[in-house]
Amino acid sequence: MTALRFAAIGIDHRHIYGMAANMIDAGAEFAGWWTEGHPGTEAGFVERFADVPRADNVQALLDDPSINLVLLSGIPRDRAEMAIRAMQAGKDVLTDKPGCTTMDQLDAIKATVADTGRIWSIDFSERFEVPAVTRAAELVAEGAIGRVIQTLGIGPHRLNRDTRPDWFFDREAYGGIITDIASHQIDQFLYFTGSTDAEITLASVANYANPNDPGLQDFAEIALRSDQGHGYIRVDWYTPDALPTWGDGRLTILGTEGYIELRKYVDVGSEGTDHLILVNGDRCEKIDASGADLPFFSRFVADLRDRTETAMAQAHAFKVCELALRAQAMAEANP
């Protein structure tokens, strides 16, 4: 592969903006795109990528031998089927989260990866597109807080009801709140504790504030335990309108010799994003981490070329999905 060319199939979620932009920044060429109908994200997408042609149909992109990679950000329930089609057509895949919404879909993806040798990866944007997480990973690797034994991740989101399509309120379409947005925090738990598997010790979902939308789950919490550490996760759709961004996402990483807290998108009373608090035996400080790199995308390009796993292990992507689906099922079985 001399030059990486990619296509986008499905632009129903705004995450496609960052996925495509970061792939371009990593040196890839955006060859074309296709989506079903005209989702509300289309105007913003075309504004950002005005020079990229829309294909007449999806098969034209899958049949193009010059396209190496497909980005997927369609309706969540449809992503697994499209990923399988893309891999069977000889393409690697980078999908928006959730990569799949059922365990049967995950099993089919695993089988297709094994059969085709293609790479199936997920853009966990709350790790891969947040400079503060890069800096935190560097500090952890340097031993700044000792051995990591727990993560505490919260992912509050703004509902933005007026802009949401019908599928957003359809449990089968988005897969449930844990499968969807809590997958970010599961990814971070596994990554920072160095875990390859985990036991789910608590999982619950609820709809407290939106009784007229029975398909919407607006709150969830999870607890996990592995042989490396512990994790607690809370996600919700309650971000108040006065907050100047979509959510006050935070991650606390507890080590045996200190802790790191990330206030990723906002720190009320302070300017900017990517606020990192480090406390250990020698340091107690707040660090501006907004200038840190986003290495996932350049590593991913190298992995596509070299058939390596430096950006994210294939087993890790599978495990995050498995744990999210198991936690979702556990929560719904015990309301």
Side-chain angles (χ1 to χ4, degrees), residues 21-35:
N22 280 298
M23 289 304 303
I24 292 169
D25 288 345
E29 178 187 350
F30 198 168
W33 64 281
W34 179 87
T35 199

Side-chain angles (χ1 to χ4, degrees), residues 43-125:
F45 181 87
V46 171
E47 180 181 355
R48 288 166 173 80
F49 308 107
D51 296 333
V52 181
R54 179 173 185 165
D56 293 334
N57 56 74
V58 67
Q59 198 61 43
L61 297 174
L62 295 179
D63 289 343
D64 186 339
S66 74
I67 292 174
N68 316 101
L69 171 70
V70 168
L71 307 187
L72 300 178
S73 193
I75 297 173
R77 69 177 171 217
D78 300 331
R79 292 175 190 167
E81 180 182 358
M82 189 57 68
I84 290 168
R85 287 182 63 185
M87 288 187 283
Q88 290 174 340
K91 319 298 185 189
D92 295 312
V93 171
L94 178 63
T95 181
D96 189 8
K97 61 80 217 161
C100 54
T101 56
T102 70
M103 200 66 77
D104 285 345
Q105 288 182 349
L106 179 58
D107 290 342
I109 289 168
K110 289 180 177 180
T112 305
V113 168
D115 289 343
T116 65
R118 295 295 94 195
I119 293 171
W120 180 81
S121 193
I122 303 173
D123 178 13
F124 292 115
S125 56

Side-chain angles (χ1 to χ4, degrees), residues 24-217:
I24 292 169
D25 288 345
E29 178 187 350
F30 198 168
W33 64 281
W34 179 87
T35 199
E36 185 75 43
H38 298 279
T41 52
E42 184 176 350
F45 181 87
V46 171
E47 180 181 355
R48 288 166 173 80
F49 308 107
D51 296 333
V52 181
R54 179 173 185 165
D56 293 334
N57 56 74
V58 67
Q59 198 61 43
L61 297 174
L62 295 179
D63 289 343
D64 186 339
S66 74
I67 292 174
N68 316 101
L69 171 70
V70 168
L71 307 187
L72 300 178
S73 193
I75 297 173
R77 69 177 171 217
D78 300 331
R79 292 175 190 167
E81 180 182 358
M82 189 57 68
I84 290 168
R85 287 182 63 185
M87 288 187 283
Q88 290 174 340
K91 319 298 185 189
D92 295 312
V93 171
L94 178 63
T95 181
D96 189 8
K97 61 80 217 161
C100 54
T101 56
T102 70
M103 200 66 77
D104 285 345
Q105 288 182 349
L106 179 58
D107 290 342
I109 289 168
K110 289 180 177 180
T112 305
V113 168
D115 289 343
T116 65
R118 295 295 94 195
I119 293 171
W120 180 81
S121 193
I122 303 173
D123 178 13
F124 292 115
S125 56
E126 293 189 26
R127 176 158 68 102
F128 299 146
E129 298 186 30
V130 177
V133 181
T134 301
R135 187 69 189 108
E138 293 169 347
L139 288 166
V140 168
E142 293 165 6
I145 60 171
R147 177 191 166 200
V148 173
I149 60 166
Q150 194 221 24
T151 63
L152 191 161
I154 61 170
H157 287 61
R158 179 174 285 132
L159 186 60
N160 287 329
R161 175 180 293 277
D162 293 342
T163 68
R164 298 295 182 179
D166 291 344
W167 62 260
F168 177 85
F169 301 95
D170 180 349
R171 158 64 181 84
E172 298 309 310
Y174 71 86
I177 189 172
I178 295 175
T179 301
D180 184 12
I181 57 178
S183 59
H184 287 297
Q185 285 72 32
I186 295 172
D187 161 67
Q188 290 164 79
F189 160 76
L190 293 176
Y191 175 75
F192 279 106
T193 61
S195 300
T196 58
D197 201 354
E199 174 191 4
I200 302 156
T201 59
L202 164 71
S204 64
V205 296
N207 181 337
Y208 291 122
N210 299 274
N212 294 327
D213 299 299
L216 178 68
Q217 298 167 350

